[in-house]
Amino acid sequence: MDVRYSANARDVKRYTTQEMRDEFLVQGLYKPDEVTAVYSHVDRMVVVGIMPVSQTLPIDKGIDIMANFGTNFFLERREAGFFNLGGSGVCTVDGTAYKMGLRDCIYITKGCKEVTFASDSKDNPARFYGVSSPAHKACETKLLTMAQAAKNPVGAAETANKRVINQFIHPAVLETCQLMMGLTVLDSGSVWNTMPAHTHERRMEIYTYFDIPEEQAVFHMMGAPTETRHIIVQNYDAVISPSWSIHAGCGTSNYAFIWAMGGENQTFTDMDTIPTSQLR
């Protein structure tokens, strides 16, 4: 498991392009019949990529649970959410199988011991993207489809940020301990996400970008509002965003992304918006 330690906002001002990428960018999440995980010390979030091809993969394949978590199993003191970004597949949680199609989501509560992932076809394997956060209470494991997500249309074509925020793992949809996740889709012709930019001091956030056309890219904006930096991301890349950092992006085409948050609260409107004219 790749471990990323917290970065000081003052130090990030001096980072090179490669240092920014090494610290915050997550790539190569989907490897055939492997579980790829990155542990961030920012709110102790874990990013997971699972692509089963010819095997059924346990959530902890290749992970030293005691060394990394100090627990007996992955979700002993954690909750997790997974989206399927590939072909159809199955997530099995303590013996219950959940069929997952493209863009379906599953919330898995604290205390679930046996979690596995499988694809329906090795020729079109599933891509399970997950984020896990610490949890102090158990809720209810639940499968969520796009139709069940809370829809929040925002933005406008005139400002190139017309999009729909689909809230899946969110207080408006189901109860969790602290994890929140959703999927935002930009309209054709819109390229900006999350503008005006903002921070939320009490919660960190992780983005993973997908549906980026071949030969296109997204410029992910981060850093302190008056010391912004950018990281260029490709399809299926993720970016870790500390609470002090803005998190926005502009693509060379429209795209989609999954956001995940964890921290002190679940108040979706608890943010400090920065007027675009004040960004530096």
Side-chain angles (χ1 to χ4, degrees), residues 95-167:
T96 300
Y98 298 89
K99 298 282 289 183
M100 296 182 64
L102 180 65
R103 298 190 179 185
D104 285 349
C105 172
I106 186 169
Y107 168 73
I108 309 173
T109 191
K110 167 186 176 292
C112 295
K113 291 185 177 181
E114 296 183 5
V115 181
T116 63
F117 298 86
S119 295
D120 290 343
S121 170
K122 66 180 182 180
D123 296 322
N124 184 26
R127 292 175 184 259
F128 295 101
Y129 169 76
V131 174
S132 172
S133 65
H136 60 265
K137 71 173 182 178
C139 299
E140 179 184 358
T141 295
K142 188 173 182 179
L143 177 68
L144 299 161
T145 65
M146 182 64 80
Q148 294 171 299
K151 306 293 192 297
N152 184 18
V154 294
E158 291 77 11
T159 49
N161 66 350
K162 188 177 182 182
R163 61 199 189 278
V164 177
I165 301 173
N166 299 282
Q167 298 166 337

Side-chain angles (χ1 to χ4, degrees), residues 1 29 33-38 46-52 55-65 68-69 71-83 90-94 106-118 128-133 141 179:
M1 178 183 285
L29 280 170
D33 290 326
E34 295 293 337
V35 174
T36 304
V38 175
V46 179
V47 181
V48 184
I50 302 175
M51 191 170 73
Q55 301 177 23
T56 296
L57 302 178
I59 192 174
D60 60 351
K61 180 182 178 183
I63 299 174
D64 188 330
I65 297 298
N68 286 284
F69 301 130
T71 58
N72 295 304
F73 54 95
F74 195 111
L75 297 178
E76 182 176 349
R77 296 183 61 83
R78 289 183 159 271
E79 58 189 347
F82 281 88
F83 280 86
V90 179
C91 174
T92 302
V93 182
D94 287 343
I106 186 169
Y107 168 73
I108 309 173
T109 191
K110 167 186 176 292
C112 295
K113 291 185 177 181
E114 296 183 5
V115 181
T116 63
F117 298 86
F128 295 101
Y129 169 76
V131 174
S132 172
S133 65
T141 295
L179 182 66

Side-chain angles (χ1 to χ4, degrees), residues 196-203 223-225 242-247 270-274:
H198 62 267
T199 61
H200 25 72
E201 185 65 26
R202 288 151 291 279
R203 284 175 286 125
S243 61
W244 49 262
S245 174
I246 66 167
H247 36 282
D270 180 16
M271 62 182 70
D272 298 307
T273 300
I274 299 97

Side-chain angles (χ1 to χ4, degrees), residues 2-279:
D2 183 12
V3 177
R4 309 282 182 92
Y5 289 92
S6 300
N8 188 297
R10 295 187 299 273
D11 295 338
V12 172
K13 297 177 184 180
R14 301 188 295 270
Y15 280 11
T16 65
T17 297
Q18 191 59 51
E19 287 172 325
M20 289 290 296
R21 294 174 69 85
D22 291 343
E23 193 72 36
F24 302 109
L25 181 64
V26 178
Q27 294 183 297
L29 280 170
Y30 305 102
K31 301 172 183 176
D33 290 326
E34 295 293 337
V35 174
T36 304
V38 175
Y39 185 112
S40 171
H41 277 268
V42 181
D43 284 312
R44 299 190 180 276
M45 302 285 269
V46 179
V47 181
V48 184
I50 302 175
M51 191 170 73
V53 178
S54 57
Q55 301 177 23
T56 296
L57 302 178
I59 192 174
D60 60 351
K61 180 182 178 183
I63 299 174
D64 188 330
I65 297 298
M66 183 57 67
N68 286 284
F69 301 130
T71 58
N72 295 304
F73 54 95
F74 195 111
L75 297 178
E76 182 176 349
R77 296 183 61 83
R78 289 183 159 271
E79 58 189 347
F82 281 88
F83 280 86
N84 182 12
L85 302 181
S88 60
V90 179
C91 174
T92 302
V93 182
D94 287 343
T96 300
Y98 298 89
K99 298 282 289 183
M100 296 182 64
L102 180 65
R103 298 190 179 185
D104 285 349
C105 172
I106 186 169
Y107 168 73
I108 309 173
T109 191
K110 167 186 176 292
C112 295
K113 291 185 177 181
E114 296 183 5
V115 181
T116 63
F117 298 86
S119 295
D120 290 343
S121 170
K122 66 180 182 180
D123 296 322
N124 184 26
R127 292 175 184 259
F128 295 101
Y129 169 76
V131 174
S132 172
S133 65
H136 60 265
K137 71 173 182 178
C139 299
E140 179 184 358
T141 295
K142 188 173 182 179
L143 177 68
L144 299 161
T145 65
M146 182 64 80
Q148 294 171 299
K151 306 293 192 297
N152 184 18
V154 294
E158 291 77 11
T159 49
N161 66 350
K162 188 177 182 182
R163 61 199 189 278
V164 177
I165 301 173
N166 299 282
Q167 298 166 337
F168 283 80
I169 300 175
H170 185 277
V173 180
L174 81 166
E175 180 186 16
T176 69
C177 181
Q178 69 158 327
L179 182 66
M180 292 192 291
M181 295 181 73
L183 190 158
T184 298
V185 181
L186 278 71
D187 279 16
S188 178
S190 285
V191 294
W192 280 100
N193 71 65
T194 320
M195 294 299 285
H198 62 267
T199 61
H200 25 72
E201 185 65 26
R202 288 151 291 279
R203 284 175 286 125
M204 66 87 72
E205 192 156 3
I206 299 170
Y207 278 12
T208 189
Y209 291 93
F210 66 102
D211 283 356
I212 301 175
E214 191 175 355
E215 304 301 325
Q216 304 300 319
V218 173
F219 290 68
H220 179 87
M221 309 298 178
M222 64 177 301
T226 57
E227 290 280 352
T228 59
R229 302 289 186 269
H230 73 267
I231 296 176
I232 297 177
V233 302
Q234 309 293 336
N235 209 23
Y236 299 124
D237 286 351
V239 181
I240 299 167
S241 181
S243 61
W244 49 262
S245 174
I246 66 167
H247 36 282
C250 183
T252 56
S253 72
N254 63 318
Y255 52 91
F257 67 99
I258 292 169
W259 44 267
M261 289 186 279
E264 295 288 351
N265 65 29
Q266 293 184 319
T267 306
F268 199 73
T269 56
D270 180 16
M271 62 182 70
D272 298 307
T273 300
I274 299 97
T276 303
S277 61
Q278 294 182 16
L279 291 172

